[in-house]
Amino acid sequence: MTTVNLIDKIPQAFKFMVVGAIAALVHFLAVILLVEFFSFQPLVANFFAFLIAFCVSFTGQRLFTFANSNKTIRQSLLPYFLISLTSFICNELLLSLAIYLLHLPYQSALILVLLIVAIGTFFSSKYWAFAKT
């Protein structure tokens, strides 16, 4: 059995979680780096981390999770970006609430928010950005 056959047998939701976890880790570490070493405010750092993590996420989701999609990269990039942008807006709002209303440390708040937003991103990606036509 080839590696490709083994990868095809992995459930799509699990692949999405793996890629999402990697992108979330990149996002989280970018925020920490920007806040702790470059003195960015957490919400500003969150925006730049989103842009970095988007590149990681789209590449992984397109090439690994939804590799069997018959949409071209060009066809799936805009819908996925819109999904990601919407997710980021939710992320930023929830992070703001968690930091300024609930007074959670930004690191804990960010982990919680990234997990919540990932669920909506999976379903939107599966049924819109990478849906088979």
Side-chain angles (χ1 to χ4, degrees):
M1 185 170 282
T2 67
T3 304
V4 173
N5 290 343
L6 289 174
I7 290 172
D8 287 342
K9 293 191 182 304
I10 298 170
Q12 193 175 53
F14 183 76
K15 291 181 198 177
F16 185 86
M17 287 189 309
V18 169
V19 172
I22 293 167
L25 180 62
V26 167
H27 188 135
F28 182 79
L29 293 175
V31 170
I32 300 297
L33 177 76
L34 292 171
V35 170
E36 299 299 327
F37 293 101
F38 296 98
S39 302
F40 279 56
Q41 291 297 313
L43 296 176
V44 174
N46 194 41
F47 171 74
F48 288 105
F50 157 74
L51 295 176
I52 296 165
F54 171 79
C55 296
V56 172
S57 180
F58 179 78
T59 302
Q61 300 302 3
R62 178 66 180 94
L63 298 177
F64 182 59
T65 308
F66 301 105
N68 63 354
S69 173
N70 60 358
K71 287 188 173 182
T72 65
I73 290 173
R74 189 175 189 170
Q75 291 172 316
S76 55
L77 183 61
L78 181 60
Y80 191 75
F81 181 76
L82 293 174
I83 290 165
S84 296
L85 183 61
T86 302
S87 295
F88 171 72
I89 292 167
C90 293
N91 172 313
E92 195 79 343
L93 290 171
L94 291 171
L95 187 60
S96 296
L97 291 172
I99 291 172
Y100 298 111
L101 188 64
L102 301 176
H103 305 288
L104 293 175
Y106 80 91
Q107 300 94 329
S108 302
L110 184 59
I111 291 169
L112 183 62
V113 167
L114 289 172
L115 290 172
I116 291 169
V117 171
I119 295 166
T121 303
F122 171 72
F123 289 105
S124 302
S125 299
K126 180 176 177 127
Y127 295 110
W128 183 35
F130 300 106
K132 292 185 179 181
T133 54

